[in-house]
Amino acid sequence: MGYPDQRFDVNLSILFTELPLLERPAAAAAAGFTAVELWWPWIETPTPPQAELDALKKAIDDAGTHLVGLNFYAGQLPGPDRGALSVPGEESDRFRANIEVAADFAASVGCTALNALYGNRVEGADPQVQDALALENLVLAARAADRVGAILLVEALNKPESPLYPLVSAPAAIEVVDRVNAATGLGNAKFLLDLYHLSMNGEDLSQVIKAYAAKTGHVQIADNPGRGAPGTGSLPLERLLDELKDAGYTGRVGLEYKPGDRPSAEAFDWLPETARADR
């Protein structure tokens, strides 16, 4: 048990960001990782030129890496936004325009997990209207994910850092997962369990794992406080990942932490090199 018993991937939108996007897969491979994930890389557009999509696919393939997770368009992330799918008007339209683009790109690189960030509450908008819009868009996203053999992920964030985001607990995200699955009948909506976010919300992480491991499609980690590498804070991440495995979770664990003041390549000393490659 312990870290060497897990299957890790590196989030290239928070690690290796000192490098241009197309150089990050090779940098992750040089650090010993073969699996990577990404937030939607084109924050300005849900529909980038095909040449840019092709260039990213080539960079991933040439590095010998495998993209295992991709966010749908989520607005300015990192930045003020936390998704687009529940935001009425232009942002919802942009999310919809992105659905098939993201799904097709995922299919082209064999990525089987697509994360749909819910979006912030908007001043002056009825929360019930936002939730109805969210369900419509999540149903479309779930169907597109199913078309390419992927799951749809719904993530809980943390209230201190995302005060306008409505899904700031595991039960809140699970409720949305269940609603989407009931609407589609596909069963491919899953919970993205981020131990950092849930710990920031003060949730009982062991209890969350027991309750929701069966509905979890992906896990992400960072230590708390600080959102740094494991060992820089006080979360018992190794034990919690063992608990997930014991509860039946067999998926990957995304490394979504800040490297601190050092280059990203030096931020993995907590993890033996032999445990970094996907298997």
Side-chain angles (χ1 to χ4, degrees):
M1 301 295 278
Y3 290 137
D5 200 38
Q6 305 292 337
R7 300 165 64 212
F8 291 102
D9 70 83
V10 177
N11 189 311
L12 298 180
S13 297
I14 194 169
L15 286 152
F16 297 107
T17 57
E18 64 269 27
L19 299 172
L21 174 65
L22 298 184
E23 294 178 21
R24 295 177 204 170
F33 294 94
T34 52
V36 298
E37 62 180 82
L38 279 166
W39 302 337
W40 183 248
W42 297 275
I43 62 174
E44 301 295 341
T45 178
T47 55
Q50 187 61 44
E52 293 187 26
L53 293 159
D54 292 343
L56 179 56
K57 172 177 162 46
K58 184 175 188 302
I60 291 167
D61 291 345
D62 287 353
T65 51
H66 176 206
L67 188 70
V68 299
L70 176 68
N71 282 17
F72 287 104
Y73 170 80
Q76 300 291 312
L77 180 80
D81 298 333
R82 296 292 185 270
L85 62 90
S86 69
V87 179
E90 184 180 340
E91 280 299 271
S92 170
D93 292 343
R94 286 159 75 87
F95 177 83
R96 290 192 186 193
N98 175 247
I99 290 174
E100 298 301 333
V101 176
D104 286 344
F105 181 77
S108 77
V109 292
C111 174
T112 56
L114 288 158
N115 183 25
L117 283 169
Y118 200 82
N120 288 330
R121 290 300 192 212
V122 178
E123 188 175 349
D126 184 337
Q128 290 184 321
V129 171
Q130 282 199 256
D131 290 340
L133 177 63
L135 183 59
E136 284 180 31
N137 284 336
L138 285 166
V139 165
L140 294 173
R143 289 177 177 150
D146 182 69
R147 175 178 66 79
V148 300
I151 60 172
L152 174 74
L153 296 170
V154 176
E155 182 174 8
L157 300 183
N158 76 76
K159 193 169 184 67
E161 294 174 325
S162 303
L164 300 178
Y165 191 81
L167 308 184
V168 287
S169 72
I174 290 290
E175 184 180 334
V176 172
V177 166
D178 290 344
R179 207 177 294 144
V180 174
N181 285 331
T184 65
L186 296 171
N188 70 329
K190 302 283 185 181
F191 178 39
L192 197 168
L193 193 162
D194 185 309
L195 289 167
Y196 168 74
H197 286 308
L198 300 183
S199 71
M200 284 284 287
N201 289 328
E203 295 184 67
D204 182 331
L205 300 179
S206 294
Q207 189 55 45
V208 167
I209 288 166
K210 283 179 191 167
Y212 303 126
K215 294 185 178 184
T216 296
H218 188 53
V219 171
Q220 291 172 337
I221 62 169
D223 216 331
N224 187 23
R227 199 173 184 175
T232 59
S234 57
L235 283 184
L237 289 168
E238 196 160 19
R239 174 176 64 76
L240 291 166
L241 293 179
D242 283 346
E243 289 177 14
L244 267 159
K245 210 165 185 87
D246 290 343
Y249 179 73
T250 58
R252 292 179 178 85
V253 176
L255 304 180
E256 197 181 72
Y257 59 79
K258 298 174 183 176
D261 296 331
R262 52 188 172 163
S264 295
E266 297 174 12
F268 305 108
D269 49 10
W270 58 275
L271 183 62
E273 284 196 36
T274 53
R276 298 178 189 179
D278 194 31
R279 51 195 190 281

